[in-house]
Amino acid sequence: MARKTGSHSEITGPKVRAAALNLFARHGFAAVSMRQIAREVGVQAGALYLYTKDKQSLLFDLMRAHMDELLATWSARPQRATPLEQLEDFARFHIQFHLDRPDAVFIAYMELRNLSDDNFAAIEALRRQYEQELEKVLEAGHAAGVISVPDTRLATMAVIAMLTGVNTWYREGGRLSQEAVAGIYWDMVRGAVGA
Amino acid sequence: MARKTGSHSEITGPKVRAAALNLFARHGFAAVSMRQIAREVGVQAGALYLYTKDKQSLLFDLMRAHMDELLATWSARPQRATPLEQLEDFARFHIQFHLDRPDAVFIAYMELRNLSDDNFAAIEALRRQYEQELEKVLEAGHAAGVISVPDTRLATMAVIAMLTGVNTWYREGGRLSQEAVAGIYWDMVRGAVGA
DNA sequence: ACATTAACTGAACAATCGTTCAAATCCTAG
DNA sequence: CTAGGATTTGAACGATTGTTCAGTTAATGT
């Protein structure tokens, strides 16, 4: 029978994904070799192919796992009543979720062009799905008359870009806590949508 | 003596930079080979080295030229009187300038990690300089009491991220003109900074 | 017409790439 | 203790990488 306890594959598999995530984020997918990943894991390059079909799948799986977790975590949150409360929740959630996973976020935004056509379409669909979550909130707010934007789609893109931008400058241990940053950004989001 | 008229180097040089810009933007610096660039120019790979020291310099020169032009173009604009007018000008300028050069913008944001340490520092300094231009405007607006932000630096980063985000979705010939988009974004910027 | 030089070719260099696979090693079930 | 599957090694494959350079081509000033 197959080994149950102490199986190496249950240790090496996650290590491969973790090493790939870290190296892809630091140097870019195309600039990282399978041998670099293997060295980081402490294994020969050939062994990686027990855990991934090829390099492309390694990238795609990391991206899809990230997007799946993003959508699942947002959907699992308790939903508050009013559109404005929901918008605040989205802003705070987005910042916290993204600041907690800088490497995965970086890859999901920067390595889209290294995906095959099929894989790109799949990731892009998930991203659109996430954007729809915000757009639904903005539309509800618009219908309720509590926010004022001339174009819901543009406002969606503007808010997401603004929030995701935090990842480019925020550093742990800086002068502001995550919560303080989220509070300030929530104020700016509210202003941007005229609420 | 050296040839003066009809010099090929005055044609091939720009063609090399244009091809590199386009290919780097489409596939990423690390994924593009010197031979691909040469093929696009219609020349053998060895000939590229008459126009660039190496591949790294090619990337760096493209980035620095972009940042230099960005700073120079902004500085050359006539400066209006009030902070709010200056903020509006910045928002409209940023969107127009960036939408007009999607490839260069893409590279300048995505390929920073492929720069050597020295080159990275140089580009980063230029970026900081550009951010300072916006921050000065926001500080002036804050001093004049016409805008209301708890943190000028955060507002700077938020506004720039929001504006640059247009490049990720805007497509020529879409349902909105550049001017219409710029107008809507200017409204959102104004709201975000409480003006 | 000739000498000069810019512009480019085409081949070569060592290094590294992603991927495969037979053989070796490790660990557990029986 | 042993059989057998899980796990990994280590070498090898052809292809491609950035870069160099001696030699060829083409256009110029005199």
Side-chain angles (χ1 to χ4, degrees):
Chain A
M1 276 189 63
R3 275 181 281 186
K4 292 292 169 52
T5 65
S7 171
H8 282 193
S9 79
E10 287 167 15
I11 297 175
T12 309
K15 273 170 87 173
V16 169
R17 286 185 289 275
L21 190 77
N22 188 272
L23 288 171
F24 288 167
R26 286 224 307 272
H27 307 112
F29 173 74
V32 172
S33 71
M34 295 300 272
R35 285 172 179 83
Q36 282 178 60
I37 299 173
R39 189 175 337 124
E40 190 93 352
V41 175
V43 102
Q44 292 291 325
L48 298 180
Y49 290 84
L50 295 171
Y51 305 100
T52 183
K53 190 173 141 307
D54 51 24
K55 198 188 176 192
Q56 166 76 202
S57 300
L58 191 48
L59 174 62
F60 175 66
D61 289 344
L62 289 174
M63 285 190 172
R64 196 186 41 190
H66 171 69
M67 294 307 297
D68 282 348
E69 193 192 7
L70 174 65
L71 283 164
T73 308
W74 169 250
S75 294
R77 280 174 63 106
Q79 183 175 323
R80 287 205 278 166
T82 74
L84 225 53
E85 286 169 338
Q86 290 166 15
L87 183 57
E88 176 177 2
D89 284 348
F90 185 92
R92 293 185 183 275
F93 163 78
H94 186 97
I95 287 177
Q96 191 210 46
F97 189 91
H98 283 62
L99 280 184
D100 283 348
R101 298 159 181 80
D103 286 350
V105 169
F106 206 66
I107 291 173
Y109 275 81
M110 308 278 272
E111 304 295 356
L112 285 168
R113 58 187 166 181
N114 288 116
L115 291 174
S116 68
D117 290 349
D118 285 356
N119 288 345
F120 176 80
I123 298 297
E124 200 58 13
L126 293 174
R127 182 188 313 285
R128 291 288 285 226
Q129 210 173 314
Y130 182 65
E131 290 166 6
Q132 293 284 348
E133 293 294 317
L134 173 56
E135 196 164 354
K136 281 190 303 192
V137 172
L138 290 179
E139 277 166 357
H142 187 71
V146 295
I147 74 172
S148 151
V149 287
D151 190 297
T152 316
R153 176 78 188 145
L154 261 64
T156 300
M157 299 308 287
V159 167
I160 287 186
M162 182 171 137
L163 295 175
T164 307
V166 175
N167 271 59
T168 66
W169 59 264
Y170 185 86
R171 294 294 168 265
E172 204 76 34
R175 52 183 249 268
L176 293 169
S177 70
Q178 284 194 20
E179 288 72 22
V181 171
I184 293 173
Y185 267 73
W186 158 233
D187 273 342
M188 291 194 285
V189 166
R190 186 171 44 188
V193 300
Chain B
M1 277 190 64
R3 276 180 281 189
K4 293 291 170 52
T5 65
S7 171
H8 282 193
S9 79
E10 288 167 15
I11 297 174
T12 309
K15 272 170 87 175
V16 169
R17 286 186 288 276
L21 189 77
N22 187 272
L23 288 171
F24 287 167
R26 286 225 306 272
H27 308 110
F29 173 75
V32 172
S33 71
M34 295 301 271
R35 284 172 181 81
Q36 281 178 61
I37 299 172
R39 190 177 336 125
E40 190 93 351
V41 175
V43 101
Q44 291 292 323
L48 298 180
Y49 290 84
L50 295 171
Y51 305 100
T52 184
K53 190 172 141 310
D54 52 24
K55 197 187 176 192
Q56 166 76 201
S57 300
L58 191 48
L59 174 62
F60 175 65
D61 290 344
L62 289 173
M63 285 190 172
R64 197 188 39 191
H66 172 68
M67 294 306 297
D68 283 348
E69 193 192 6
L70 174 65
L71 283 164
T73 308
W74 169 249
S75 295
R77 280 174 65 105
Q79 184 175 322
R80 286 206 279 167
T82 75
L84 225 52
E85 286 169 336
Q86 290 166 15
L87 182 58
E88 177 177 1
D89 285 347
F90 185 93
R92 294 185 183 274
F93 163 79
H94 186 98
I95 287 178
Q96 191 210 44
F97 189 91
H98 283 63
L99 281 185
D100 283 347
R101 298 159 183 79
D103 286 351
V105 169
F106 206 67
I107 291 173
Y109 275 82
M110 308 277 273
E111 303 296 354
L112 285 169
R113 57 187 167 182
N114 288 115
L115 290 174
S116 68
D117 290 350
D118 285 357
N119 289 345
F120 176 80
I123 298 297
E124 200 58 15
L126 293 174
R127 182 187 312 284
R128 291 290 285 227
Q129 210 173 312
Y130 182 65
E131 290 166 5
Q132 293 285 346
E133 293 293 319
L134 173 56
E135 196 163 355
K136 280 191 304 191
V137 171
L138 290 179
E139 277 166 358
H142 187 72
V146 295
I147 74 173
S148 151
V149 287
D151 190 297
T152 315
R153 176 78 188 143
L154 262 64
T156 300
M157 299 309 286
V159 167
I160 286 186
M162 182 172 138
L163 295 175
T164 306
V166 175
N167 271 60
T168 66
W169 59 265
Y170 185 87
R171 293 295 169 264
E172 204 76 35
R175 53 183 248 267
L176 292 170
S177 69
Q178 284 194 19
E179 288 72 22
V181 171
I184 293 174
Y185 267 74
W186 158 234
D187 273 343
M188 291 193 283
V189 166
R190 187 171 45 189
V193 299

